[in-house]
Amino acid sequence: MRARTAATAIAGPPLVLLVAILACLPWLLSDYELSLALHLLSYLTLTVAWAMFSGTTRLVSLATSAFFGVGMYTVAMLVKLMPLEAIFAVAAGIGAVLALVVGIVTLRISGMFFVIFGFGLSEMMRQLMVWWEINKTFTMGRYVRVNFDNTMIYEHLLGLCVLAFAAGFLLRRSRLGIAALVIGEDETVARQVGIDVPFVKLAIFVLSCVLMTLVGAVMAPRFGFINPNIAFNPLISFQVVIMALLGGLKRLWGPILGVLPLIALSETLEVEFPFWYSILLGLVFMAIVYFLPRGAVGLIDDAWERLGRPMELPRGYTGWLRDAGAGVARAWAWLSRPRTLPGGFTGPIEGWAKRQWRRLVPEER
Amino acid sequence: MAMQLIEVVIGGVILGGLYALVAIGFNLQYGMARIVNLAYGEFLMGAAFAAFWTFTLLAVSPILSLALSVPVTFAANWLVYRYLMAPLVRRARDREQLEGETILATFGLLFVLRGAATLAFSANNRYYDYLGAPVRILGFTYAANRVLAFALACAFGVAVWLILTRTRFGAALRALAIDPVGARLVGIDVRGMSALAFAGGGALVAAAGTLVSTFLSFNPAIGIEFTMKALVVVIMGGVGKMMGSLVAGLLLGVAESLCSFYLDSGLTLAVAYALFLVVLILRPRGLFGTR
Amino acid sequence: MAALLEVSGLRKAFGGLVAVNDVSLAVSAGEVLGLIGPNGSGKTTLLNLIAGSLRADAGTIRMDGEDVTRLPNHKRVRRRINRTFQLVRVSKDIPVIVSVMAGLLHGAERAPYKDASYDAAGILGELNLLLKAGQRLDQLTYIEQKRVELARALATRPRVLLLDEWLSGLGPGELDGGMSVVWSLAAQGIAVILVEHVMTAVRALCGRVAVMNAGAKIAEGPPDQVLRDPEVIRAYLGDADA
């Protein structure tokens, strides 16, 4: 596809350079910084993938952690049977099938069902896996011990992240992406311009879910020990929705603005005060819904628009003089306004007498 | 074998009565007040803890703790509607946008309440023993607390049904469920009624929470599961239809009971999901939906 | 000349109310067929049935000899049937040109992506909307919005176009412009079905007029003749004896 505009030509080389620098980071960072980078990259990819579907079609998906967990658990179960890269492929396949099933069942009806279905999906997967582990394999949790250190995880995540951004970028300039945009605006219109609404939704949903599954799969070796409660953690879905909404959905780079502050928050709070973290996240989230419905991107867009408006020209020192003059005039007006004189101690009595007089002799109308 | 099956089904009906109660409360909030409250189950959890603490610390019967937790939850839900939901209702352009925004807002509320509960009560599983003695019904034995829960759930359900069908207030609520705009045109205070319906739904879930606590162990994380089941039941029975919720709730109870008999008791949510799937595929307008 | 779109025996009921009852119509390429009738006579429902927004209970719709009765809305668009909406559906966030591009990309000809923006600009240019291409729909005037509706429909390259009161609400000067647009559509060989209350436009544009009342077609023929039909007058004005 050739979608070259002046903007892409200018922005292209620096972006390639940026990715190259990011790819070198593992050799420059300390262990702690690297793990922080992993945390950041995994959420960034999840959020971009989330925004790819929910940002355009406006169907809120609360099922992120279900797909993340599926990826992670696939690795946990197959790690002793095949090489890791093959498992990633299997995980992507399972994620795609699950997304297809969920999408086919829920997306053709109203958006409400989709949201509800996603809401409980991860909890149900968790229950199913717990049941499976207890009754079939008699374990509770598995160890993932492979030769796949943080540097490898980082490079894979970076690849996924670039892939997600590239997919988002191309999607915005493609048949499918424009269809999604129109669907998000008005489904009746979408049908009337010839868009196959359920198919478009399904295609983008599957794409976004496969990305999420892969993030889970790649992150599995990082956790080392995995049980259903770790893999299918509803907090992941929640954080992703917050990050995406905080950043704003209108622009491709919106998620970056959302991920950075929340990762900072979670790094400082999550380990030491996990419950406070949950409360604070909830409050932040409600604040976004109430006060920042377009996210940080909305703020930036507004600022940009304000910059683009005709500015007031500088007024020089005459402006100051005029202001000073106006101030003097205002002070003079204030001083010379008509006022009532203080009534003194007889004032209240006089007032009372006046009121009585009025009661006796009503004013003529 | 047949006898055992009957025993399981009756057990399911007893459990289903409770689900029906939870779902009727949710239906008041979703069908009448038009708010999808994902934090719904958190109030159930709150009431369960209230019952637990009054029972273990003060040795007060959980049934008496209803007198405390129901009004408190009613008030709390009224406040939630008045101060958190009403602004969204005011700014929403259409029903779809309202549903979307309330889902997001209550999703946030869910994490706030759950975090606060975990902070206050710790994440441990809680359990207390109240009326654990067996009773015999039709020759089968059931725990007394379950039967009591079923009876009280029935009483609450009948009360709601009577209010909805026999009073002017209930008629106004039903009008609200059918057509909010029309309801306003005939002089119903839509905002005020919605707030009351929302609060009423909260009161019912508090009652359900108290009853649940007598026979299930619970922790601060159980809310989601009950919210989910309420959602499934309401969608199965039809939004705004109380009878639908009742039948669908009983159905879910029986299905779960059968599942735990034949498969495993840890798969309850999977059963709810399976039912949900079947309904979505076969009858997307609900079991009793008309086209 | 064989008819392009043939509708026969079409019926649609909502519960007990029969909104469209056994209606048959035919329209050929380059023809403007007027569809008139009092409010609530089933004109818009008929359009919805032909466009595929609603499913017919009975009857067939044939497009160029092919049966399209069971096809969903978007597939009929790709069979070159399109319509405008009576109430303009205003998109808040997407620019005008994007909605036209969507029509080009997903309509009958499925233009390649790289051509879409040029073609969209061409269509907007024909309708004097080129300067508004980057604006959002809610920034436009009512007349411009109606033209965007038409542009969106034309982008799918229809051969049958259903205009639902597209000329209503225009002032006298604007009406002439609107009428010349419809006329030029017909001159390009598009079969137009015009649902309209503006009688001057119907008389001027339509070679043939069909009249609906209470769901049924009660008359069809040249406008002057049809509008003198006593049954039609009764439908509009009620019984003289009443």
Side-chain angles (χ1 to χ4, degrees):
Chain A
M1 178 169 311
R2 274 170 51 83
R4 271 179 87 82
T5 58
T8 54
I10 293 169
L15 280 178
V16 171
L17 192 66
L18 179 68
V19 171
I21 292 172
L22 286 176
C24 298
L25 275 186
W27 290 277
L28 304 172
L29 297 177
S30 69
D31 279 353
Y32 168 73
E33 286 163 347
L34 185 59
S35 75
L36 184 64
L38 287 181
H39 194 184
L40 216 146
L41 262 186
S42 61
Y43 271 103
L44 185 57
T45 315
L46 285 176
T47 309
V48 172
W50 189 89
M52 195 181 289
F53 177 74
S54 300
T56 46
T57 59
R58 303 196 182 175
L59 289 165
V60 173
S61 163
L62 303 179
T64 311
S65 66
F67 290 96
F68 181 86
V70 162
M72 193 168 255
Y73 229 83
T74 312
V75 172
M77 291 178 100
L78 298 179
V79 73
K80 286 174 186 146
L81 304 177
M82 46 173 105
L84 212 49
E85 304 290 340
I87 303 176
F88 291 164
V90 173
I94 295 176
V97 170
L98 183 63
L100 267 176
V101 172
V102 172
I104 287 174
V105 173
T106 57
L107 285 176
R108 68 196 169 99
I109 326 172
S110 91
M112 196 46 218
F113 291 119
F114 172 77
V115 178
I116 293 170
F117 203 87
F119 173 63
L121 189 64
S122 125
E123 184 70 12
M124 188 202 65
M125 297 292 297
R126 190 186 65 79
Q127 265 197 9
L128 267 182
M129 290 321 298
V130 168
W131 173 77
W132 176 267
E133 295 284 47
I134 291 175
N135 291 290
K136 303 289 165 178
T137 54
F138 310 106
T139 55
M140 190 62 197
R142 292 152 179 277
Y143 289 94
V144 179
R145 297 211 189 287
V146 278
N147 191 14
F148 200 71
D149 62 358
N150 279 359
T151 308
M152 287 295 282
I153 298 175
Y154 177 87
E155 299 296 348
H156 276 77
L157 271 183
L158 185 63
L160 273 180
C161 189
V162 171
L163 199 67
F165 269 107
F169 179 81
L170 291 178
L171 204 56
R172 275 157 191 260
R173 283 151 191 81
S174 71
R175 204 183 284 277
L176 205 60
I178 287 200
L181 213 58
V182 178
I183 290 173
E185 201 58 55
D186 187 337
E187 285 196 15
T188 311
V189 168
R191 277 191 290 275
Q192 203 56 55
V193 292
I195 294 168
D196 188 345
V197 175
F199 172 79
V200 168
K201 282 185 188 167
L202 190 64
I204 300 179
F205 184 61
V206 170
L207 178 65
S208 123
C209 288
V210 166
L211 279 169
M212 292 173 180
T213 315
L214 280 174
V215 173
V218 171
M219 283 299 274
R222 165 109 183 81
F223 281 70
F225 175 78
I226 291 168
N227 68 26
N229 295 337
I230 295 176
F232 299 98
N233 178 0
L235 205 61
I236 297 174
S237 308
F238 187 43
Q239 281 174 317
V240 166
V241 178
I242 300 184
M243 288 168 180
L245 292 184
L246 178 63
L249 298 170
K250 212 172 145 197
R251 313 256 166 211
L252 189 60
W253 41 266
I256 301 176
L257 298 182
V259 169
L260 287 176
L262 273 159
I263 291 290
L265 189 70
S266 95
E267 280 296 321
T268 47
L269 277 181
E270 194 176 0
V271 182
E272 282 181 65
F273 311 103
F275 307 126
W276 281 110
Y277 179 61
S278 166
I279 297 175
L280 199 62
L281 267 189
L283 290 176
V284 167
F285 187 63
M286 289 170 77
I288 295 171
V289 173
Y290 286 99
F291 304 115
L292 208 61
R294 291 190 300 147
V297 164
L299 288 183
I300 291 185
D301 277 355
D302 286 353
W304 187 247
E305 202 167 294
R306 216 167 297 134
L307 278 180
R309 259 182 235 152
M311 253 187 314
E312 257 183 68
L313 291 171
R315 299 184 309 157
Y317 66 90
T318 53
W320 285 101
L321 279 180
R322 279 235 306 275
D323 283 355
V328 169
R330 216 172 301 134
W332 181 249
W334 185 77
L335 284 173
S336 56
R337 77 196 191 284
R339 73 198 69 200
T340 47
L341 293 169
F345 69 93
T346 56
I349 302 172
E350 266 179 54
W352 178 81
K354 253 184 204 159
R355 279 199 296 280
Q356 295 310 313
W357 178 247
R358 289 250 172 78
R359 270 173 58 188
L360 289 173
V361 190
E363 271 178 72
E364 289 194 16
R365 305 233 156 182
Chain B
M1 190 63 204
M3 290 306 275
Q4 227 170 359
L5 200 64
I6 296 173
E7 182 176 3
V8 170
V9 169
I10 294 178
V13 169
I14 290 177
L15 184 64
L18 203 73
Y19 287 153
L21 184 64
V22 176
I24 286 172
F26 192 84
N27 215 344
L28 278 176
Q29 297 197 332
Y30 182 28
M32 313 262 166
R34 314 255 157 183
I35 304 278
V36 185
N37 183 5
L38 294 189
Y40 183 67
E42 307 311 306
F43 292 100
L44 181 143
M45 177 267 292
F49 270 101
F52 173 76
W53 290 117
T54 50
F55 185 75
T56 48
L57 295 182
L58 308 173
V60 174
S61 150
I63 305 308
L64 286 179
S65 85
L66 277 176
L68 171 74
S69 57
V70 167
V72 168
T73 321
F74 184 89
N77 273 274
W78 191 84
L79 290 173
V80 165
Y81 186 87
R82 185 70 189 67
Y83 290 102
L84 292 179
M85 298 301 129
L88 299 180
V89 174
R90 246 174 276 141
R91 85 178 185 205
R93 269 181 300 160
D94 49 31
R95 187 163 177 198
E96 224 161 76
Q97 195 195 356
L98 178 64
E99 276 176 359
E101 292 208 319
T102 52
I103 283 176
L104 290 179
T106 54
F107 194 49
L109 188 62
L110 183 165
F111 281 85
V112 173
L113 294 177
R114 189 174 161 178
T118 324
L119 204 60
F121 309 133
S122 87
N124 297 335
N125 265 324
R126 305 288 183 165
Y127 183 77
Y128 64 93
D129 196 29
Y130 174 73
L131 284 184
V135 284
R136 294 187 70 79
I137 298 173
L138 301 174
F140 307 111
T141 43
Y142 298 99
N145 47 30
R146 288 192 179 235
V147 177
L148 178 69
F150 177 71
L152 281 176
C154 286
F156 276 108
V158 168
V160 170
W161 186 71
L162 285 178
I163 289 174
L164 281 181
T165 52
R166 295 294 157 84
T167 61
R168 284 177 67 87
F169 176 71
L173 276 182
R174 280 182 293 142
L176 203 62
I178 295 165
D179 183 0
V181 179
R184 171 170 297 159
L185 292 180
V186 295
I188 294 171
D189 172 13
V190 172
R191 199 71 48 78
M193 294 298 274
S194 296
L196 285 179
F198 191 85
L204 286 186
V205 82
T210 309
L211 299 180
V212 163
S213 73
T214 60
F215 63 89
L216 284 181
S217 69
F218 52 91
N219 60 43
I222 57 164
I224 284 191
E225 193 177 326
F226 279 94
T227 310
M228 197 57 219
K229 282 176 184 165
L231 273 164
V232 169
V233 170
V234 166
I235 284 172
M236 265 177 15
V239 176
K241 298 197 179 97
M242 297 302 155
M243 276 324 245
S245 293
L246 178 67
V247 176
L250 292 178
L251 200 65
L252 179 66
V254 172
E256 260 185 25
S257 183
L258 286 173
C259 169
S260 56
F261 179 65
Y262 285 110
L263 282 170
D264 189 280
S265 59
L267 286 176
T268 55
L269 202 58
V271 172
Y273 250 79
L275 273 179
F276 192 21
L277 266 181
V278 171
V279 171
L280 282 186
I281 292 169
L282 299 181
R283 309 219 50 168
R285 282 161 196 278
L287 287 178
F288 314 103
T290 47
R291 290 172 62 72
Chain C
M1 189 163 48
L4 185 58
L5 178 83
E6 273 179 289
V7 174
S8 61
L10 216 54
R11 178 188 161 87
K12 178 73 186 179
F14 298 107
L17 177 78
V18 183
V20 170
N21 191 6
D22 195 21
V23 171
S24 302
L25 283 177
V27 57
S28 40
E31 187 186 8
V32 182
L33 172 70
L35 186 60
I36 62 174
N39 288 326
S41 59
K43 303 181 301 280
T44 296
T45 308
L46 181 61
L47 282 203
N48 282 336
L49 289 174
I50 297 175
S53 312
L54 292 172
R55 280 290 172 83
D57 296 339
T60 56
I61 302 163
R62 289 182 165 279
M63 174 70 190
D64 212 6
E66 185 191 1
D67 189 353
V68 297
T69 321
R70 299 274 143 225
L71 291 183
N73 201 344
H74 69 271
K75 291 215 169 131
R76 290 194 207 186
V77 172
R78 294 180 191 172
R79 299 287 189 288
R80 297 176 186 271
I81 301 175
N82 211 328
R83 57 94 58 89
T84 61
F85 291 98
Q86 183 178 1
L87 300 169
V88 179
R89 300 192 75 104
V90 178
S91 316
K92 255 189 67 191
D93 276 345
I94 54 180
V96 167
I97 194 161
V98 172
S99 54
V100 178
M101 277 168 72
L104 284 161
L105 291 170
H106 292 272
E109 287 180 4
R110 297 180 71 79
Y113 184 81
K114 64 177 164 41
D115 298 344
S117 49
Y118 297 106
D119 295 353
I123 290 172
L124 289 175
E126 278 171 36
L127 293 167
N128 287 338
L129 286 168
L130 198 50
L131 292 177
K132 312 285 179 185
Q135 297 197 356
R136 296 194 316 264
L137 216 49
D138 61 346
Q139 294 170 321
L140 304 184
T141 65
Y142 181 64
I143 303 157
E144 287 164 346
Q145 288 178 359
K146 289 213 147 192
R147 283 177 177 244
V148 172
E149 279 264 327
L150 184 63
R152 194 164 61 196
L154 286 178
T156 64
R157 310 291 187 202
R159 292 177 67 198
V160 172
L161 189 58
L162 317 170
L163 298 180
D164 197 355
E165 305 201 3
W166 190 72
L167 294 166
S168 306
L170 303 186
E174 297 143 9
L175 189 61
D176 286 342
M179 278 163 61
S180 70
V181 168
V182 176
W183 189 81
S184 76
L185 293 177
Q188 289 167 34
I190 296 176
V192 179
I193 296 182
L194 186 73
V195 169
E196 202 53 75
H197 286 301
V198 183
M199 283 305 160
T200 46
V202 173
R203 279 178 201 274
L205 288 169
C206 304
R208 214 151 43 90
V209 172
V211 188
M212 285 186 73
N213 187 32
K217 189 173 82 173
I218 56 171
E220 186 176 339
D224 292 330
Q225 186 190 325
V226 164
L227 291 174
R228 276 200 303 269
D229 188 323
E231 200 182 350
V232 173
I233 294 168
R234 197 158 51 240
Y236 268 93
L237 301 176
D239 248 320
D241 311 329

